[in-house]
Amino acid sequence: MASSHLPCATTISATLPLPSAQPLFAKPSHFLTHAKRSPRLQVSCATAPNKNDSVDDTPQGKVDRRNMLLGLGGLYGATNLVSTPGASANPIQPPELDKCGVATNAANQKPVEFSCCPPVTQRIIDYKLPPVFQMKIRPSAHRVSPEYIFKYNMAIDRMKRLPQDDPRNFLQQANIHCAYCNGAYDQPGQGTLDLQVHESWLFFPFHRWYLYFYERILGKLIGDPTFALPFWNWDNPKGMTMPPMFVDPRSALYDEKRDPASLPPAVVDLGNTQVTDPLQLVANNLTIMYSEMIRVNANVYDFMGQPLREGGKPKGGGSSERGSHTSVHIWVGDPNQPTREDLGNFYSAGRDPLFYCHHANVDRMWTLWQYFLPSNKVPDKRITDPDFLNAAFLFYDENAQLVRVTVKDCLDNLRMGYDFERIDLPWLDYRPPRQTAKAKVLRTSSTAPKASTLFPLNLDKVVRFQVDKTKKGKADELLVLENITVDTTKFLKFDVFVNDEDDNATELDKAAYLGTYAQVPHKTPNKTATSTIRMKLTELYDDMDISDDDSIVVTLVPRHQGPGVTIGGIKIIENPSDN
Ligand code: C2O
């Protein structure tokens, strides 16, 4: 992508015009499609970020970032209230490298046959984000130029050739994921309790920092500080195949441990529905994106994942981690390998260069959700809890210096010096069409058993049952699936439908599809994990014209084979007003 190599000011004026011609309250996607660049970038390009202008964390920071896009950002607060004094203080601590131990392959419970531990160095520096003189623009992987591919290839090739004990070496970098995800680290001072960065609010921040240093190392290796990782644009139909540059066997970007059925031209299956019709897959994918980014989230934790504090175990990932993120891992991982290596298993995922491209898009989802989604959907997108903001990780930077980073420094990708190429977001307006076949649904519901007679439930086949609403005519409600206990050695996934009259679970592009639970195998004590998830019903009620009903009929459709999921209970609650 040519624009990533232009000086900052040129980038803005040459390729990213301001949204001057756009009406102020156009549909949100219009901002994204046409408002290609915002004053947000100009601000960050022109001034080196200052430790104290952590915009989103001020009370005044209620100023929505989209207002910045519209040039209304004069209220930008400069106060830093990130570290709320007197609040609880047990954020997750960074690992002790000298106590790094054996990692476990979560899928077979055997020790990983190589060490995932990084070299140990004594000196740790608290990382300070460097000033941003030139914004890196991460390009969509399907749109990059041959020159870009050449450079990227060269960078990865050089990374592979670094000495094996250099923490920037390709396999050392891959092992970061293994160490943080497969039980090589314990939480400091917490006995043998694992440090685990999936299935909680640490998911987005950890992976953001991981890619940040990976990208800087690659840039350093080719002497190009503007080098930016590509993102696999699987949320746009044009990006729904494996990006071509990764499938050339002569390339450093190639990995042979991938599902042969997922090579181009196969269309990515963000729902693991096993559908083969490519058009239906695209429709399903867009619906999944709409659901996990917009439809089901009532508060910040529904999207980001549940809190994880020192001494605790992960209590559940957010809608994006569970959904598209998990599906892509499973879709790429090779079912012919013993435990779905490389991408289908966390210990090996980082060995496939495609991992970082996939996660660059996951990271992009966080940015889009924070700054581009309509704020009437999720009123407050910030987490101000100090246990979140002060959670810390260790990485080796591009100079092989060990650094300690905190979550509060990674909340704004622009402060970190990178942005994403603007690409249309077709899912943003992909709300399913209204579906109001009421009579038929009511007839169906009369035959479905009450939820109370079925739970706790072992979910190994499709089940359908009735759940009572909080009261008749209540329109703003959430479906809560309580105590979902899973076997963490398996890939597990189920979809949730409401009043689904046609029972065709391969088509998700309909109002009756609500959302998804899914997990990649990950290391946990006792091979189990328990979480509770919530899905907002408000829009679905509206689309199906069932706000006035007394109950709904829920269908749970497992996408995995065999047992592994038990659901403790299911209920409907009012959408709490505090959010
Ligand atoms: Cu750390 Cu997609 O996984």
Side-chain angles (χ1 to χ4, degrees), residues 8-9 12 18 37-50 53 55 65 67-69 71-74 76-77 131-135 412 414-415 419:
C8 190
I12 292 167
L18 294 174
R37 183 52 88 202
S38 67
R40 188 175 167 235
L41 177 58
Q42 287 182 320
V43 169
S44 300
C45 271
T47 34
N50 169 334
D53 63 2
V55 176
R65 194 67 72 97
N67 291 342
M68 291 296 289
L69 293 180
L72 305 175
Y76 238 19
V132 179
F133 296 117
Q134 185 171 350
M135 197 60 64
D412 182 345
L414 294 187
R415 282 190 67 223
D419 203 359

PDB file of all heavy atoms in Angstrom, residues 8-9 12 18 37-50 53 55 65 67-69 71-74 76-77 131-135 412 414-415 419:
ATOM      1  N   CYS A   8       3.615  11.781   6.820  1.00  0.00           N
ATOM      2  CA  CYS A   8       2.312  11.837   7.463  1.00  0.00           C
ATOM      3  C   CYS A   8       1.374  12.870   6.839  1.00  0.00           C
ATOM      4  O   CYS A   8       0.253  12.559   6.477  1.00  0.00           O
ATOM      5  CB  CYS A   8       2.503  12.155   8.938  1.00  0.00           C
ATOM      6  SG  CYS A   8       1.025  11.987   9.888  1.00  0.00           S
ATOM      7  N   ALA A   9       1.827  14.074   6.716  1.00  0.00           N
ATOM      8  CA  ALA A   9       0.938  15.120   6.229  1.00  0.00           C
ATOM      9  C   ALA A   9       0.449  14.809   4.821  1.00  0.00           C
ATOM     10  O   ALA A   9      -0.712  15.018   4.487  1.00  0.00           O
ATOM     11  CB  ALA A   9       1.647  16.464   6.240  1.00  0.00           C
ATOM     12  N   ILE A  12      -2.401  12.270   4.733  1.00  0.00           N
ATOM     13  CA  ILE A  12      -3.725  12.782   5.040  1.00  0.00           C
ATOM     14  C   ILE A  12      -4.313  13.507   3.838  1.00  0.00           C
ATOM     15  O   ILE A  12      -5.397  13.197   3.385  1.00  0.00           O
ATOM     16  CB  ILE A  12      -3.656  13.756   6.236  1.00  0.00           C
ATOM     17  CG1 ILE A  12      -3.311  12.945   7.483  1.00  0.00           C
ATOM     18  CG2 ILE A  12      -4.961  14.485   6.417  1.00  0.00           C
ATOM     19  CD1 ILE A  12      -2.917  13.798   8.636  1.00  0.00           C
ATOM     20  N   LEU A  18     -11.024  14.749   4.394  1.00  0.00           N
ATOM     21  CA  LEU A  18     -11.938  14.909   5.515  1.00  0.00           C
ATOM     22  C   LEU A  18     -13.375  14.792   5.030  1.00  0.00           C
ATOM     23  O   LEU A  18     -13.665  15.025   3.871  1.00  0.00           O
ATOM     24  CB  LEU A  18     -11.707  16.280   6.165  1.00  0.00           C
ATOM     25  CG  LEU A  18     -10.337  16.397   6.818  1.00  0.00           C
ATOM     26  CD1 LEU A  18     -10.129  17.825   7.312  1.00  0.00           C
ATOM     27  CD2 LEU A  18     -10.228  15.427   7.972  1.00  0.00           C
ATOM     28  N   ARG A  37     -10.552   9.856   6.499  1.00  0.00           N
ATOM     29  CA  ARG A  37      -9.605  10.181   7.558  1.00  0.00           C
ATOM     30  C   ARG A  37     -10.155  11.289   8.411  1.00  0.00           C
ATOM     31  O   ARG A  37     -11.005  12.058   7.994  1.00  0.00           O
ATOM     32  CB  ARG A  37      -8.245  10.571   6.956  1.00  0.00           C
ATOM     33  CG  ARG A  37      -7.213  10.854   7.989  1.00  0.00           C
ATOM     34  CD  ARG A  37      -7.074   9.732   9.002  1.00  0.00           C
ATOM     35  NE  ARG A  37      -6.139   8.726   8.578  1.00  0.00           N
ATOM     36  CZ  ARG A  37      -6.143   7.495   9.042  1.00  0.00           C
ATOM     37  NH1 ARG A  37      -7.042   7.119   9.894  1.00  0.00           N
ATOM     38  NH2 ARG A  37      -5.243   6.658   8.642  1.00  0.00           N
ATOM     39  N   SER A  38      -9.689  11.321   9.609  1.00  0.00           N
ATOM     40  CA  SER A  38     -10.275  12.220  10.573  1.00  0.00           C
ATOM     41  C   SER A  38      -9.226  13.104  11.195  1.00  0.00           C
ATOM     42  O   SER A  38      -8.043  12.845  11.112  1.00  0.00           O
ATOM     43  CB  SER A  38     -10.883  11.375  11.677  1.00  0.00           C
ATOM     44  OG  SER A  38      -9.823  10.731  12.352  1.00  0.00           O
ATOM     45  N   PRO A  39      -9.679  14.151  11.873  1.00  0.00           N
ATOM     46  CA  PRO A  39      -8.744  14.986  12.621  1.00  0.00           C
ATOM     47  C   PRO A  39      -8.010  14.176  13.677  1.00  0.00           C
ATOM     48  O   PRO A  39      -6.984  14.601  14.163  1.00  0.00           O
ATOM     49  CB  PRO A  39      -9.655  16.031  13.279  1.00  0.00           C
ATOM     50  CG  PRO A  39     -10.894  16.031  12.455  1.00  0.00           C
ATOM     51  CD  PRO A  39     -11.041  14.637  11.936  1.00  0.00           C
ATOM     52  N   ARG A  40      -8.558  13.011  14.030  1.00  0.00           N
ATOM     53  CA  ARG A  40      -7.911  12.177  15.026  1.00  0.00           C
ATOM     54  C   ARG A  40      -6.488  11.888  14.591  1.00  0.00           C
ATOM     55  O   ARG A  40      -5.552  11.957  15.361  1.00  0.00           O
ATOM     56  CB  ARG A  40      -8.713  10.887  15.133  1.00  0.00           C
ATOM     57  CG  ARG A  40      -8.281   9.989  16.253  1.00  0.00           C
ATOM     58  CD  ARG A  40      -9.223   8.800  16.351  1.00  0.00           C
ATOM     59  NE  ARG A  40      -8.621   7.813  17.205  1.00  0.00           N
ATOM     60  CZ  ARG A  40      -8.406   6.577  16.859  1.00  0.00           C
ATOM     61  NH1 ARG A  40      -8.743   6.150  15.669  1.00  0.00           N
ATOM     62  NH2 ARG A  40      -7.839   5.749  17.695  1.00  0.00           N
ATOM     63  N   LEU A  41      -6.310  11.597  13.324  1.00  0.00           N
ATOM     64  CA  LEU A  41      -4.971  11.290  12.844  1.00  0.00           C
ATOM     65  C   LEU A  41      -4.122  12.543  12.790  1.00  0.00           C
ATOM     66  O   LEU A  41      -2.968  12.540  13.165  1.00  0.00           O
ATOM     67  CB  LEU A  41      -5.035  10.648  11.464  1.00  0.00           C
ATOM     68  CG  LEU A  41      -3.678  10.349  10.829  1.00  0.00           C
ATOM     69  CD1 LEU A  41      -2.877   9.439  11.747  1.00  0.00           C
ATOM     70  CD2 LEU A  41      -3.852   9.692   9.482  1.00  0.00           C
ATOM     71  N   GLN A  42      -4.722  13.628  12.370  1.00  0.00           N
ATOM     72  CA  GLN A  42      -3.942  14.858  12.292  1.00  0.00           C
ATOM     73  C   GLN A  42      -3.394  15.234  13.656  1.00  0.00           C
ATOM     74  O   GLN A  42      -2.237  15.589  13.788  1.00  0.00           O
ATOM     75  CB  GLN A  42      -4.817  16.000  11.779  1.00  0.00           C
ATOM     76  CG  GLN A  42      -5.108  15.849  10.302  1.00  0.00           C
ATOM     77  CD  GLN A  42      -5.937  16.993   9.786  1.00  0.00           C
ATOM     78  OE1 GLN A  42      -6.856  17.446  10.455  1.00  0.00           O
ATOM     79  NE2 GLN A  42      -5.617  17.459   8.609  1.00  0.00           N
ATOM     80  N   VAL A  43      -4.252  15.104  14.650  1.00  0.00           N
ATOM     81  CA  VAL A  43      -3.819  15.439  16.003  1.00  0.00           C
ATOM     82  C   VAL A  43      -2.597  14.611  16.355  1.00  0.00           C
ATOM     83  O   VAL A  43      -1.571  15.117  16.771  1.00  0.00           O
ATOM     84  CB  VAL A  43      -4.952  15.145  17.019  1.00  0.00           C
ATOM     85  CG1 VAL A  43      -4.426  15.225  18.430  1.00  0.00           C
ATOM     86  CG2 VAL A  43      -6.087  16.123  16.812  1.00  0.00           C
ATOM     87  N   SER A  44      -2.699  13.330  16.107  1.00  0.00           N
ATOM     88  CA  SER A  44      -1.623  12.465  16.543  1.00  0.00           C
ATOM     89  C   SER A  44      -0.382  12.602  15.683  1.00  0.00           C
ATOM     90  O   SER A  44       0.709  12.344  16.136  1.00  0.00           O
ATOM     91  CB  SER A  44      -2.091  11.019  16.514  1.00  0.00           C
ATOM     92  OG  SER A  44      -3.187  10.896  17.365  1.00  0.00           O
ATOM     93  N   CYS A  45      -0.549  12.974  14.451  1.00  0.00           N
ATOM     94  CA  CYS A  45       0.608  13.145  13.597  1.00  0.00           C
ATOM     95  C   CYS A  45       1.369  14.395  13.971  1.00  0.00           C
ATOM     96  O   CYS A  45       2.577  14.441  13.970  1.00  0.00           O
ATOM     97  CB  CYS A  45       0.170  13.283  12.142  1.00  0.00           C
ATOM     98  SG  CYS A  45       0.069  11.717  11.331  1.00  0.00           S
ATOM     99  N   ALA A  46       0.604  15.415  14.276  1.00  0.00           N
ATOM    100  CA  ALA A  46       1.234  16.703  14.475  1.00  0.00           C
ATOM    101  C   ALA A  46       1.952  16.785  15.804  1.00  0.00           C
ATOM    102  O   ALA A  46       3.000  17.389  15.921  1.00  0.00           O
ATOM    103  CB  ALA A  46       0.184  17.803  14.401  1.00  0.00           C
ATOM    104  N   THR A  47       1.402  16.141  16.809  1.00  0.00           N
ATOM    105  CA  THR A  47       2.003  16.263  18.120  1.00  0.00           C
ATOM    106  C   THR A  47       2.433  14.901  18.623  1.00  0.00           C
ATOM    107  O   THR A  47       1.702  13.940  18.509  1.00  0.00           O
ATOM    108  CB  THR A  47       0.976  16.805  19.145  1.00  0.00           C
ATOM    109  OG1 THR A  47      -0.286  16.297  18.777  1.00  0.00           O
ATOM    110  CG2 THR A  47       0.969  18.296  19.199  1.00  0.00           C
ATOM    111  N   ALA A  48       3.569  14.895  19.219  1.00  0.00           N
ATOM    112  CA  ALA A  48       3.983  13.668  19.870  1.00  0.00           C
ATOM    113  C   ALA A  48       3.032  13.450  21.034  1.00  0.00           C
ATOM    114  O   ALA A  48       2.708  14.375  21.749  1.00  0.00           O
ATOM    115  CB  ALA A  48       5.392  13.825  20.387  1.00  0.00           C
ATOM    116  N   PRO A  49       2.546  12.220  21.206  1.00  0.00           N
ATOM    117  CA  PRO A  49       1.578  12.005  22.266  1.00  0.00           C
ATOM    118  C   PRO A  49       2.219  12.257  23.626  1.00  0.00           C
ATOM    119  O   PRO A  49       3.392  12.015  23.818  1.00  0.00           O
ATOM    120  CB  PRO A  49       1.172  10.551  22.118  1.00  0.00           C
ATOM    121  CG  PRO A  49       2.013   9.985  21.058  1.00  0.00           C
ATOM    122  CD  PRO A  49       2.890  11.043  20.494  1.00  0.00           C
ATOM    123  N   ASN A  50       1.411  12.702  24.476  1.00  0.00           N
ATOM    124  CA  ASN A  50       1.886  13.089  25.777  1.00  0.00           C
ATOM    125  C   ASN A  50       1.296  12.100  26.760  1.00  0.00           C
ATOM    126  O   ASN A  50       0.139  11.732  26.674  1.00  0.00           O
ATOM    127  CB  ASN A  50       1.350  14.516  25.960  1.00  0.00           C
ATOM    128  CG  ASN A  50       1.487  15.031  27.347  1.00  0.00           C
ATOM    129  OD1 ASN A  50       1.523  14.260  28.298  1.00  0.00           O
ATOM    130  ND2 ASN A  50       1.550  16.332  27.454  1.00  0.00           N
ATOM    131  N   ASP A  53      -2.266  12.853  28.002  1.00  0.00           N
ATOM    132  CA  ASP A  53      -3.523  13.111  27.308  1.00  0.00           C
ATOM    133  C   ASP A  53      -4.223  11.827  26.905  1.00  0.00           C
ATOM    134  O   ASP A  53      -4.545  11.575  25.789  1.00  0.00           O
ATOM    135  CB  ASP A  53      -3.354  14.086  26.137  1.00  0.00           C
ATOM    136  CG  ASP A  53      -2.442  13.550  25.060  1.00  0.00           C
ATOM    137  OD1 ASP A  53      -1.988  12.424  25.200  1.00  0.00           O
ATOM    138  OD2 ASP A  53      -2.191  14.270  24.093  1.00  0.00           O
ATOM    139  N   VAL A  55      -7.040  10.455  26.368  1.00  0.00           N
ATOM    140  CA  VAL A  55      -8.338  11.050  26.120  1.00  0.00           C
ATOM    141  C   VAL A  55      -9.512  10.269  26.661  1.00  0.00           C
ATOM    142  O   VAL A  55     -10.391  10.806  27.310  1.00  0.00           O
ATOM    143  CB  VAL A  55      -8.508  11.200  24.594  1.00  0.00           C
ATOM    144  CG1 VAL A  55      -9.876  11.716  24.283  1.00  0.00           C
ATOM    145  CG2 VAL A  55      -7.423  12.103  24.068  1.00  0.00           C
ATOM    146  N   ARG A  65     -15.272   9.684  20.332  1.00  0.00           N
ATOM    147  CA  ARG A  65     -14.229   9.899  19.354  1.00  0.00           C
ATOM    148  C   ARG A  65     -14.823  10.239  17.990  1.00  0.00           C
ATOM    149  O   ARG A  65     -14.206  10.896  17.179  1.00  0.00           O
ATOM    150  CB  ARG A  65     -13.339   8.660  19.274  1.00  0.00           C
ATOM    151  CG  ARG A  65     -12.043   8.923  18.548  1.00  0.00           C
ATOM    152  CD  ARG A  65     -11.163   9.874  19.326  1.00  0.00           C
ATOM    153  NE  ARG A  65     -10.625   9.228  20.487  1.00  0.00           N
ATOM    154  CZ  ARG A  65      -9.417   8.691  20.526  1.00  0.00           C
ATOM    155  NH1 ARG A  65      -8.633   8.741  19.508  1.00  0.00           N
ATOM    156  NH2 ARG A  65      -8.990   8.115  21.618  1.00  0.00           N
ATOM    157  N   ASN A  67     -17.018  12.314  17.512  1.00  0.00           N
ATOM    158  CA  ASN A  67     -17.139  13.763  17.440  1.00  0.00           C
ATOM    159  C   ASN A  67     -15.858  14.367  16.902  1.00  0.00           C
ATOM    160  O   ASN A  67     -15.876  15.378  16.218  1.00  0.00           O
ATOM    161  CB  ASN A  67     -17.447  14.343  18.819  1.00  0.00           C
ATOM    162  CG  ASN A  67     -18.851  13.962  19.250  1.00  0.00           C
ATOM    163  OD1 ASN A  67     -19.652  13.575  18.403  1.00  0.00           O
ATOM    164  ND2 ASN A  67     -19.127  14.049  20.521  1.00  0.00           N
ATOM    165  N   MET A  68     -14.756  13.730  17.237  1.00  0.00           N
ATOM    166  CA  MET A  68     -13.498  14.190  16.678  1.00  0.00           C
ATOM    167  C   MET A  68     -13.549  14.069  15.159  1.00  0.00           C
ATOM    168  O   MET A  68     -13.085  14.921  14.430  1.00  0.00           O
ATOM    169  CB  MET A  68     -12.344  13.348  17.207  1.00  0.00           C
ATOM    170  CG  MET A  68     -12.059  13.565  18.677  1.00  0.00           C
ATOM    171  SD  MET A  68     -11.512  15.240  18.985  1.00  0.00           S
ATOM    172  CE  MET A  68      -9.880  15.162  18.239  1.00  0.00           C
ATOM    173  N   LEU A  69     -14.139  12.988  14.723  1.00  0.00           N
ATOM    174  CA  LEU A  69     -14.229  12.786  13.282  1.00  0.00           C
ATOM    175  C   LEU A  69     -15.013  13.916  12.645  1.00  0.00           C
ATOM    176  O   LEU A  69     -14.794  14.286  11.514  1.00  0.00           O
ATOM    177  CB  LEU A  69     -14.949  11.470  12.964  1.00  0.00           C
ATOM    178  CG  LEU A  69     -14.221  10.204  13.358  1.00  0.00           C
ATOM    179  CD1 LEU A  69     -15.071   9.012  12.980  1.00  0.00           C
ATOM    180  CD2 LEU A  69     -12.882  10.133  12.665  1.00  0.00           C
ATOM    181  N   GLY A  71     -15.130  16.882  13.732  1.00  0.00           N
ATOM    182  CA  GLY A  71     -14.556  18.187  14.004  1.00  0.00           C
ATOM    183  C   GLY A  71     -15.155  18.855  15.224  1.00  0.00           C
ATOM    184  O   GLY A  71     -15.074  20.064  15.385  1.00  0.00           O
ATOM    185  N   LEU A  72     -15.775  18.077  16.109  1.00  0.00           N
ATOM    186  CA  LEU A  72     -16.391  18.660  17.296  1.00  0.00           C
ATOM    187  C   LEU A  72     -15.561  18.383  18.533  1.00  0.00           C
ATOM    188  O   LEU A  72     -16.045  18.356  19.637  1.00  0.00           O
ATOM    189  CB  LEU A  72     -17.800  18.076  17.498  1.00  0.00           C
ATOM    190  CG  LEU A  72     -18.752  18.207  16.315  1.00  0.00           C
ATOM    191  CD1 LEU A  72     -20.048  17.473  16.614  1.00  0.00           C
ATOM    192  CD2 LEU A  72     -19.022  19.661  16.009  1.00  0.00           C
ATOM    193  N   GLY A  73     -14.318  18.138  18.337  1.00  0.00           N
ATOM    194  CA  GLY A  73     -13.515  17.603  19.424  1.00  0.00           C
ATOM    195  C   GLY A  73     -12.877  18.629  20.321  1.00  0.00           C
ATOM    196  O   GLY A  73     -11.956  18.326  21.049  1.00  0.00           O
ATOM    197  N   GLY A  74     -13.363  19.845  20.317  1.00  0.00           N
ATOM    198  CA  GLY A  74     -12.726  20.880  21.107  1.00  0.00           C
ATOM    199  C   GLY A  74     -12.783  20.635  22.605  1.00  0.00           C
ATOM    200  O   GLY A  74     -12.070  21.264  23.366  1.00  0.00           O
ATOM    201  N   TYR A  76     -11.919  18.033  24.135  1.00  0.00           N
ATOM    202  CA  TYR A  76     -10.908  17.053  24.525  1.00  0.00           C
ATOM    203  C   TYR A  76     -10.278  17.381  25.873  1.00  0.00           C
ATOM    204  O   TYR A  76      -9.624  18.405  26.038  1.00  0.00           O
ATOM    205  CB  TYR A  76      -9.807  17.126  23.463  1.00  0.00           C
ATOM    206  CG  TYR A  76      -9.543  15.830  22.766  1.00  0.00           C
ATOM    207  CD1 TYR A  76     -10.470  14.808  22.772  1.00  0.00           C
ATOM    208  CD2 TYR A  76      -8.346  15.647  22.084  1.00  0.00           C
ATOM    209  CE1 TYR A  76     -10.212  13.639  22.099  1.00  0.00           C
ATOM    210  CE2 TYR A  76      -8.089  14.480  21.408  1.00  0.00           C
ATOM    211  CZ  TYR A  76      -9.030  13.482  21.418  1.00  0.00           C
ATOM    212  OH  TYR A  76      -8.762  12.333  20.765  1.00  0.00           O
ATOM    213  N   GLY A  77     -10.453  16.520  26.826  1.00  0.00           N
ATOM    214  CA  GLY A  77      -9.858  16.785  28.132  1.00  0.00           C
ATOM    215  C   GLY A  77      -8.410  16.352  28.167  1.00  0.00           C
ATOM    216  O   GLY A  77      -8.001  15.471  27.440  1.00  0.00           O
ATOM    217  N   PRO A 131       7.454   8.986  21.007  1.00  0.00           N
ATOM    218  CA  PRO A 131       6.685   9.987  20.255  1.00  0.00           C
ATOM    219  C   PRO A 131       6.350   9.468  18.860  1.00  0.00           C
ATOM    220  O   PRO A 131       7.133   8.720  18.274  1.00  0.00           O
ATOM    221  CB  PRO A 131       7.643  11.169  20.130  1.00  0.00           C
ATOM    222  CG  PRO A 131       8.756  10.911  21.065  1.00  0.00           C
ATOM    223  CD  PRO A 131       8.779   9.460  21.376  1.00  0.00           C
ATOM    224  N   VAL A 132       5.200   9.856  18.371  1.00  0.00           N
ATOM    225  CA  VAL A 132       4.791   9.412  17.032  1.00  0.00           C
ATOM    226  C   VAL A 132       5.088  10.520  16.035  1.00  0.00           C
ATOM    227  O   VAL A 132       4.469  11.570  16.075  1.00  0.00           O
ATOM    228  CB  VAL A 132       3.284   9.073  17.009  1.00  0.00           C
ATOM    229  CG1 VAL A 132       2.858   8.647  15.616  1.00  0.00           C
ATOM    230  CG2 VAL A 132       2.976   8.003  18.024  1.00  0.00           C
ATOM    231  N   PHE A 133       6.069  10.293  15.204  1.00  0.00           N
ATOM    232  CA  PHE A 133       6.386  11.297  14.178  1.00  0.00           C
ATOM    233  C   PHE A 133       5.715  10.952  12.862  1.00  0.00           C
ATOM    234  O   PHE A 133       5.410  11.806  12.055  1.00  0.00           O
ATOM    235  CB  PHE A 133       7.900  11.414  13.984  1.00  0.00           C
ATOM    236  CG  PHE A 133       8.584  11.910  15.226  1.00  0.00           C
ATOM    237  CD1 PHE A 133       9.501  11.123  15.898  1.00  0.00           C
ATOM    238  CD2 PHE A 133       8.284  13.159  15.747  1.00  0.00           C
ATOM    239  CE1 PHE A 133      10.118  11.577  17.054  1.00  0.00           C
ATOM    240  CE2 PHE A 133       8.890  13.624  16.907  1.00  0.00           C
ATOM    241  CZ  PHE A 133       9.812  12.832  17.558  1.00  0.00           C
ATOM    242  N   GLN A 134       5.528   9.670  12.658  1.00  0.00           N
ATOM    243  CA  GLN A 134       4.877   9.256  11.417  1.00  0.00           C
ATOM    244  C   GLN A 134       3.982   8.068  11.723  1.00  0.00           C
ATOM    245  O   GLN A 134       4.440   7.059  12.254  1.00  0.00           O
ATOM    246  CB  GLN A 134       5.931   8.871  10.381  1.00  0.00           C
ATOM    247  CG  GLN A 134       5.328   8.550   9.054  1.00  0.00           C
ATOM    248  CD  GLN A 134       6.353   8.371   7.965  1.00  0.00           C
ATOM    249  OE1 GLN A 134       7.529   8.671   8.146  1.00  0.00           O
ATOM    250  NE2 GLN A 134       5.933   7.868   6.843  1.00  0.00           N
ATOM    251  N   MET A 135       2.719   8.205  11.400  1.00  0.00           N
ATOM    252  CA  MET A 135       1.766   7.151  11.694  1.00  0.00           C
ATOM    253  C   MET A 135       2.001   5.960  10.767  1.00  0.00           C
ATOM    254  O   MET A 135       2.104   6.125   9.552  1.00  0.00           O
ATOM    255  CB  MET A 135       0.354   7.707  11.499  1.00  0.00           C
ATOM    256  CG  MET A 135      -0.752   6.919  12.125  1.00  0.00           C
ATOM    257  SD  MET A 135      -0.643   6.740  13.910  1.00  0.00           S
ATOM    258  CE  MET A 135      -0.819   8.422  14.474  1.00  0.00           C
ATOM    259  N   ASP A 412      -5.271   3.284  23.053  1.00  0.00           N
ATOM    260  CA  ASP A 412      -5.472   4.100  21.858  1.00  0.00           C
ATOM    261  C   ASP A 412      -4.387   3.759  20.834  1.00  0.00           C
ATOM    262  O   ASP A 412      -3.213   4.065  21.034  1.00  0.00           O
ATOM    263  CB  ASP A 412      -5.393   5.575  22.273  1.00  0.00           C
ATOM    264  CG  ASP A 412      -5.639   6.510  21.099  1.00  0.00           C
ATOM    265  OD1 ASP A 412      -5.593   6.055  19.940  1.00  0.00           O
ATOM    266  OD2 ASP A 412      -5.874   7.707  21.355  1.00  0.00           O
ATOM    267  N   LEU A 414      -3.668   5.057  18.118  1.00  0.00           N
ATOM    268  CA  LEU A 414      -2.960   6.202  17.533  1.00  0.00           C
ATOM    269  C   LEU A 414      -1.810   6.654  18.431  1.00  0.00           C
ATOM    270  O   LEU A 414      -0.742   7.024  17.944  1.00  0.00           O
ATOM    271  CB  LEU A 414      -3.915   7.373  17.291  1.00  0.00           C
ATOM    272  CG  LEU A 414      -4.989   7.153  16.239  1.00  0.00           C
ATOM    273  CD1 LEU A 414      -5.747   8.440  15.980  1.00  0.00           C
ATOM    274  CD2 LEU A 414      -4.399   6.606  14.944  1.00  0.00           C
ATOM    275  N   ARG A 415      -2.013   6.612  19.708  1.00  0.00           N
ATOM    276  CA  ARG A 415      -0.910   6.943  20.622  1.00  0.00           C
ATOM    277  C   ARG A 415       0.224   5.946  20.463  1.00  0.00           C
ATOM    278  O   ARG A 415       1.386   6.240  20.741  1.00  0.00           O
ATOM    279  CB  ARG A 415      -1.386   6.939  22.077  1.00  0.00           C
ATOM    280  CG  ARG A 415      -2.151   8.184  22.482  1.00  0.00           C
ATOM    281  CD  ARG A 415      -2.374   8.218  23.986  1.00  0.00           C
ATOM    282  NE  ARG A 415      -1.127   8.387  24.714  1.00  0.00           N
ATOM    283  CZ  ARG A 415      -0.791   7.714  25.820  1.00  0.00           C
ATOM    284  NH1 ARG A 415      -1.621   6.832  26.339  1.00  0.00           N
ATOM    285  NH2 ARG A 415       0.357   7.935  26.404  1.00  0.00           N
ATOM    286  N   ASP A 419      -2.279   3.090  12.677  1.00  0.00           N
ATOM    287  CA  ASP A 419      -3.700   3.148  12.342  1.00  0.00           C
ATOM    288  C   ASP A 419      -3.964   2.085  11.277  1.00  0.00           C
ATOM    289  O   ASP A 419      -3.039   1.387  10.848  1.00  0.00           O
ATOM    290  CB  ASP A 419      -4.077   4.548  11.849  1.00  0.00           C
ATOM    291  CG  ASP A 419      -5.564   4.840  12.006  1.00  0.00           C
ATOM    292  OD1 ASP A 419      -6.304   3.952  12.481  1.00  0.00           O
ATOM    293  OD2 ASP A 419      -5.995   5.941  11.646  1.00  0.00           O
TER     294      ASP A 419
END
